[in-house]
Amino acid sequence: MTPSHTITGEEPEHLTQAARRRAQVDPLAALRGPGDPPWDVCLTGTVFLDIIFTGLDSAPVRGTESWARGMGSSPGGVANMATALARLGLRTSLAAAFGDDHYGEYCWDALEQGEGIDLSASRTVPGWHSPVTVSMAYEGERTMVSHGHEPPPQVAFLQERARDRAPRARAAVASLTPGTRAPWIAAAAREGTRIFADVGWDDTGAWDLAGLADLEHCEAFLPNAEEAKRYTGADCPRIAAHALTEYVPVAVVTLGPEGAYAVDRRTGEAAEVPAIAVEALDPTGAGDVFVAGFVTGSLAGWPLADRLAFAGLTAALSVQEFGGSLSAPGWSEIGAWWRRVQALPGQDPAALQRYEFLEGLVPEELDRPWPLRRAVPTIGFRRSS
């Protein structure tokens, strides 16, 4: 596929790949050496076009028309995770199928040209239109409606081949399916790839950890509080986190507005970090950004509490922007936050100390090719050539 490099006409000229690379922090710079895997993280999954409505006063009511004060469009699905990882400086490869419609071309261009994500293992599928999700954000929550046609056989073949032939990488992020093994997870783990896993809601109601057979190949498991309690039978998510370490070395349980709690069985560490209070515009993709932040800190070898704090910070920054993928923060935005909170009067010294690890990481000069692309109201101003 050779998509147009100019789809929407809405990205300022200074947001070039060269400018982006000048400002981008490489959190793994000190660890890189000859013989390293070509990629830091490899992903595979489905890319959606996300259309996000924000500024709704309440949930839509049947038989009425609701007007949203804000709207944005951006790549979604697995693109949320891929973009968040790339914006944090990790060399990211994505294997996915793209429709050959305008939506698919826009998503391809946004990921490859806008974010520098490697799509050499991805393919365009003729005659297949892109899956679409409409997300409506209100009262700090969201409601989603998705639409997509059954993918043709070559899409399933592409995804299986991508999993079976995934290039060597330091890490991969997997979404576990209860009762189903994904052979690529065990194969990647045998090659030394560190697997970070999350899980969706168990529609069967079984909530049986034995059904998550691939957990034995994973380094870390990152469920939310309700999922952790249901899988372990614990009443407290913190107790659930400790119980999960019988199955996986690192358990991270997100606690919503309370923050997150994590346990590392190998080191004996436990850490809890409160959430950062922000005014949330759109929570779409915040969980993916949290995982990306935790993966980044893990690959960089940071202490558990720093990884947890960084993951929470990146997620908090993301919910202040439209869109799942294009709301993910980059290092200049992280740096701007750190400089700003240090300058605010009356800050709790203990709270500031929690984020002191950022001091040696964030750019000293915020030259701002960041933020990169943001979700935009329309993607149709200019036709591709």
Side-chain angles (χ1 to χ4, degrees):
M1 175 178 184
T2 308
S4 166
H5 293 266
T6 307
I7 299 293
T8 68
E10 297 175 32
E11 184 181 28
E13 288 185 4
H14 72 279
L15 300 187
T16 63
Q17 290 193 41
R20 173 168 48 79
R21 287 169 182 158
R22 281 200 301 273
Q24 193 176 51
V25 172
D26 182 358
L28 307 187
L31 303 176
R32 300 197 187 278
D36 281 351
W39 305 109
D40 296 325
V41 187
C42 285
L43 302 170
T44 183
T46 302
V47 174
F48 287 72
L49 174 73
D50 280 356
I51 301 173
I52 306 101
F53 293 102
T54 66
L56 291 163
D57 294 322
S58 61
V61 177
R62 186 174 65 176
T64 67
E65 181 179 17
S66 299
W67 279 81
R69 290 187 290 274
M71 174 186 168
S73 302
S74 65
V78 71
N80 295 340
M81 182 76 69
T83 301
L85 291 163
R87 289 188 173 190
L88 293 177
L90 298 188
R91 300 170 184 175
T92 303
S93 179
L94 171 63
F98 290 77
D100 66 346
D101 52 9
H102 190 66
Y103 293 167
E105 189 179 34
Y106 161 74
C107 289
W108 184 293
D109 179 75
L111 297 175
E112 184 180 58
Q113 302 301 323
E115 307 299 337
I117 295 167
D118 171 68
L119 297 181
S120 60
S122 294
R123 297 292 182 270
T124 296
V125 180
W128 183 51
H129 80 60
S130 302
V132 176
T133 292
V134 175
S135 176
M136 292 163 282
Y138 54 87
E139 298 174 356
E141 286 295 338
R142 58 181 177 156
T143 296
M144 296 183 292
V145 178
S146 296
H147 169 72
H149 289 184
E150 188 69 24
Q154 58 262 46
V155 174
F157 174 74
L158 167 67
Q159 292 175 333
E160 289 304 316
R161 186 176 64 175
R163 293 183 178 108
D164 293 342
R165 302 182 181 181
R168 285 197 310 126
R170 297 174 189 266
V173 181
S175 186
L176 303 184
T177 302
T180 302
R181 276 191 180 271
W184 73 269
I185 294 178
R190 285 194 296 269
E191 293 293 321
T193 299
R194 300 163 68 178
I195 310 296
F196 296 78
D198 60 14
V199 68
W201 192 258
D202 187 352
D203 291 326
T204 69
W207 298 101
D208 181 10
L209 274 171
L212 301 180
D214 285 323
L215 205 56
E216 65 179 315
H217 306 297
C218 298
E219 172 173 326
F221 184 42
L222 298 95
N224 63 33
E226 189 60 31
E227 292 161 350
K229 289 192 295 183
R230 287 178 180 265
Y231 271 116
T232 61
D235 293 330
C236 170
R238 296 162 183 82
I239 294 175
H242 285 272
L244 287 171
T245 58
E246 296 181 16
Y247 300 85
V248 66
V250 180
V252 181
V253 178
T254 55
L255 307 174
E258 295 182 40
Y261 184 83
V263 184
D264 188 330
R265 182 185 69 208
R266 297 167 301 190
T267 65
E269 293 175 277
E272 182 167 356
V273 175
I276 297 173
V278 296
E279 184 175 348
L281 175 65
D282 176 19
T284 305
D288 294 317
V289 176
F290 181 94
V291 173
F294 191 82
V295 170
T296 300
S298 297
L299 295 184
W302 300 348
L304 184 64
D306 290 354
R307 287 181 267 164
L308 207 59
F310 186 71
L313 170 60
T314 54
L317 294 178
S318 77
V319 303
Q320 299 178 86
E321 299 285 348
F322 285 112
S325 62
L326 302 189
S327 68
W331 281 101
S332 284
E333 288 147 314
I334 294 167
W337 175 85
W338 176 233
R339 306 292 182 225
R340 185 170 63 252
V341 297
Q342 287 179 296
L344 290 174
Q347 286 290 325
D348 180 2
L352 287 177
Q353 187 177 13
R354 171 62 273 151
Y355 295 93
E356 279 185 347
F357 68 94
L358 293 173
E359 191 60 42
L361 291 166
V362 298
E364 292 187 9
E365 295 184 8
L366 305 179
D367 54 359
R368 299 281 307 176
W370 293 91
L372 290 178
R373 295 185 180 189
R374 289 302 189 195
V376 294
T378 179
I379 61 173
F381 279 133
R382 185 185 304 175
R383 291 186 180 275
S384 59
S385 57

